[in-house]
Amino acid sequence: MDKPLRILVVDDSALMRRLLRELLESDPELRIVGEAADGREALAQVVELRPDLVILDVRMPVMDGLETTRQIMAYTPTPILVVTASLSSYEVDITFQMLGAGALDVMEKPRLGDAAAVEAARRSLLRKVRLLARVKVVTHLRGRRQAPAPRAPGGTYRAGLLYGGGAAPVPHRPPRAVAPPPATIRDVLAPFPAVVIGASTGGPRAVRQVLAGLPRDFAAAILVVQHIAQGFSQGMAEWLAESVSLPVSLAYEGVPLSPGHVLLAPDCFDLLVRPDGAVHLSSLPLLLQRPAIDIAMQSVAEVFGAATVGVLLTGMGRDGAVGMQAIRRAGGLTIAQEEASCTIFGMPRAAIELGAAELVLPPARIAEMLRERMGVRA
């Protein structure tokens, strides 16, 4: 039998620390080795106790969750699960900065006084802890106030052009009126390409890496399907919009796809594309995971055909493998993230084993490949 996973709980609320301890100790495979009330205390305990996972609050006295994450990942790299009590824009923004600094995942804190909500939180917490505590994380030197030039792992890629494009990007805010699209995109050879990016655990940082490598005049529409805890998709869209040069917004019913604009799938809806090139949001219970990467990729492949590019990034499970296969069968390009740069290699591995990934690259090279595919020079 494996040794219990060793957990450090960091929260400035003694009541919340006690609740998290009770939830975690309901699993005999988990052991609470320490508690801390602020970031500075947490850093000392990480050095002393060497836990398998840190459960880390966002707002704390002395040192907040963001600086704590930076310091942990710079000096004693340890898997971090962020817990937040609020979905306010400020706190969600800090949460995504923590994910960008090396934290692995996020969840909302259990809501006291609601037995059903606490039980749902317990199941989610235990599932995430068991998964994340076994992830091998790497040092993030920027936490030491250094910014070394990035070095991407090697890889091979196939050069080639798809279609050009010169349409102006859609504004970040939904327009008041939208010009009528063609009767169907199939009636004319897709006027611009579409890129579908799927990701799960570790995805926010990888998605940002890919999008940050693309210019504002990028000639393809981009759809992002990210598995993340409910309530955080809007925050992720806003965080990405502040981090990359492309305009980013949450997808909504009927918004038209447009070159150079990134649309992120919202909570609880599958993202599909209608034949006229506009978004349709579906809540039909087709798969266990929603939004489903497979559904989005299959839908885009049906409409855009060979003008589709599929990108499958880090994550657990198999979601996206069948969608990548559909894109490849339609004549599009498919790219999976390589193992060395993945937080969890599950989804890319599934696509590779299925023969659905034409290229296997790290995030920086994925962005380079997308630029080349669209005829963009660095």
Side-chain angles (χ1 to χ4, degrees):
M1 189 176 191
D2 292 338
K3 294 181 180 179
L5 297 172
R6 306 170 71 254
I7 314 300
L8 172 64
V9 176
V10 184
D11 197 295
D12 63 338
S13 166
L15 180 61
M16 183 54 62
R17 292 198 304 273
R18 186 175 69 183
L19 175 59
L20 290 172
R21 174 182 282 275
E22 291 175 356
L23 298 182
L24 292 164
E25 289 181 339
S26 69
D27 186 334
E29 295 184 3
L30 306 180
R31 177 185 168 200
I32 312 303
V33 295
E35 297 181 9
D38 61 65
R40 185 173 299 169
E41 186 180 341
L43 294 179
Q45 293 206 35
V46 169
V47 171
E48 178 185 356
L49 301 173
R50 298 290 176 170
D52 296 307
L53 177 82
V54 177
I55 295 178
L56 185 59
D57 192 11
V58 176
R59 289 202 201 190
M60 297 179 294
V62 184
M63 182 183 291
D64 67 8
L66 176 57
E67 186 58 29
T68 305
T69 299
R70 289 171 175 160
Q71 294 296 313
I72 289 175
M73 299 311 297
Y75 295 101
T76 51
T78 307
I80 295 173
L81 171 62
V82 180
V83 289
T84 176
S86 170
L87 295 181
S88 68
S89 58
Y90 171 79
E91 193 142 329
V92 171
D93 177 66
I94 298 297
T95 295
F96 278 99
Q97 290 186 56
M98 292 169 69
L99 293 175
L104 297 180
D105 206 347
V106 58
M107 66 174 288
E108 192 174 4
K109 290 181 183 179
R111 295 185 180 276
L112 301 174
D114 184 335
V118 169
E119 175 57 23
R122 185 188 73 86
R123 293 195 300 269
S124 177
L125 176 66
L126 296 183
R127 183 175 63 252
K128 288 179 182 291
V129 166
R130 286 194 296 262
L131 170 65
L132 300 179
R134 293 183 169 89
V135 172
K136 294 187 182 302
V137 294
V138 299
T139 300
H140 291 242
L141 292 177
R142 290 189 179 183
R144 301 183 186 182
R145 305 303 186 205
Q146 298 176 3
R151 295 178 59 189
T156 58
Y157 60 90
R158 176 175 60 81
L161 301 181
L162 194 55
Y163 301 99
V170 173
H172 179 59
R173 297 294 180 187
R176 292 179 177 271
V178 178
T184 170
I185 279 190
R186 292 193 191 95
D187 294 341
V188 294
L189 189 61
F192 53 83
V195 178
V196 191
I197 301 175
S200 185
T201 307
R205 186 168 180 267
V207 168
R208 185 181 65 174
Q209 284 180 281
V210 172
L211 296 181
L214 304 179
R216 188 173 179 84
D217 59 351
F218 189 65
I222 303 174
L223 303 176
V224 175
V225 182
Q226 167 72 52
H227 297 168
I228 200 161
Q230 186 173 341
F232 290 92
S233 58
Q234 178 65 48
M236 181 170 173
E238 293 172 356
W239 174 68
L240 288 173
E242 295 174 355
S243 305
V244 305
S245 62
L246 294 166
V248 183
S249 59
L250 207 61
Y252 59 93
E253 182 67 29
V255 61
L257 274 64
S258 176
H261 188 204
V262 182
L263 294 174
L264 182 70
D267 292 340
C268 303
F269 290 95
D270 282 319
L271 193 158
L272 298 93
V273 178
R274 303 190 314 225
D276 63 0
V279 165
H280 171 58
L281 299 179
S282 170
S283 59
L284 294 176
L286 299 178
L287 292 178
L288 293 176
Q289 178 70 52
R290 185 190 295 132
I293 301 167
D294 279 328
I295 288 178
M297 286 185 168
Q298 289 171 320
S299 175
V300 175
E302 288 177 3
V303 175
F304 283 81
T308 309
V309 179
V311 177
L312 193 57
L313 302 175
T314 173
M316 183 180 181
R318 299 185 56 83
D319 192 17
V322 172
M324 293 273 278
Q325 187 177 57
I327 292 172
R328 192 159 191 190
R329 286 175 175 171
L333 175 67
T334 54
I335 310 172
Q337 185 176 352
E338 49 91 63
E339 183 173 8
S341 61
C342 281
T343 300
I344 297 177
F345 191 48
M347 297 192 323
R349 185 199 304 275
I352 293 166
E353 291 176 347
L354 192 62
E358 184 175 352
L359 304 175
V360 180
L361 303 169
R365 294 292 298 277
I366 292 173
E368 179 183 342
M369 182 69 249
L370 293 175
R371 293 196 305 269
E372 291 202 17
R373 189 73 171 177
M374 304 307 150
V376 177
R377 295 185 180 275

